[in-house]
Amino acid sequence: MKLRILDNSIRLRLTQTEVETVRNDGLVRGRVQFAGSNTFDYVLESSPATVTPEAHVSNNVLTVRVPKMDIRQWAESEKVSIESKQNLGDGDHLR
């Protein structure tokens, strides 16, 4: 999985195998290692409890949760992306 960040935009690019993995297992994970044993993980999670895609950062982990039904429809169609805007307050959005 490839992570791209630009201003208030997050993009995760997955291979077809990774799409199948998140559909079947509910999770795909990537990791960046830095000097001093520091890491930054990024996770795409299929979540039955999530209504719209959302992103959160905690303890050096970026987690993007997408509704399970959206992941299933994505994996079983010719659709190439899932897009959403997350309200951050004060008129700002994360895309």
Side-chain angles (χ1 to χ4, degrees):
M1 178 170 53
K2 185 178 191 180
L3 172 65
R4 294 180 66 185
I5 299 174
L6 177 63
D7 298 327
N8 276 10
S9 176
I10 297 170
R11 179 189 261 173
L12 298 172
R13 296 188 63 182
L14 281 70
T15 65
Q16 192 61 41
T17 301
E18 290 167 328
V19 171
E20 293 298 319
T21 298
V22 74
R23 182 187 72 179
N24 296 332
D25 300 341
L27 191 78
V28 174
R29 179 182 301 269
R31 172 173 276 182
V32 179
Q33 293 184 304
F34 297 95
S37 299
N38 293 308
T39 61
F40 178 75
D41 293 324
Y42 48 102
V43 176
L44 175 61
E45 181 180 309
S46 172
S47 172
T50 301
V51 177
T52 60
E54 57 189 30
H56 303 277
V57 175
S58 179
N59 298 320
N60 294 336
V61 179
L62 166 65
T63 303
V64 176
R65 289 188 184 97
V66 177
K68 186 174 185 173
M69 184 58 72
D70 290 359
I71 293 289
R72 179 173 284 140
Q73 290 172 352
W74 180 43
E76 295 173 359
S77 72
E78 296 298 316
K79 191 174 173 181
V80 296
S81 67
I82 298 173
E83 293 186 46
S84 184
K85 282 187 178 179
Q86 181 177 341
N87 187 356
L88 301 176
D90 296 334
D92 289 329
H93 291 88
L94 176 63
R95 201 177 123 216

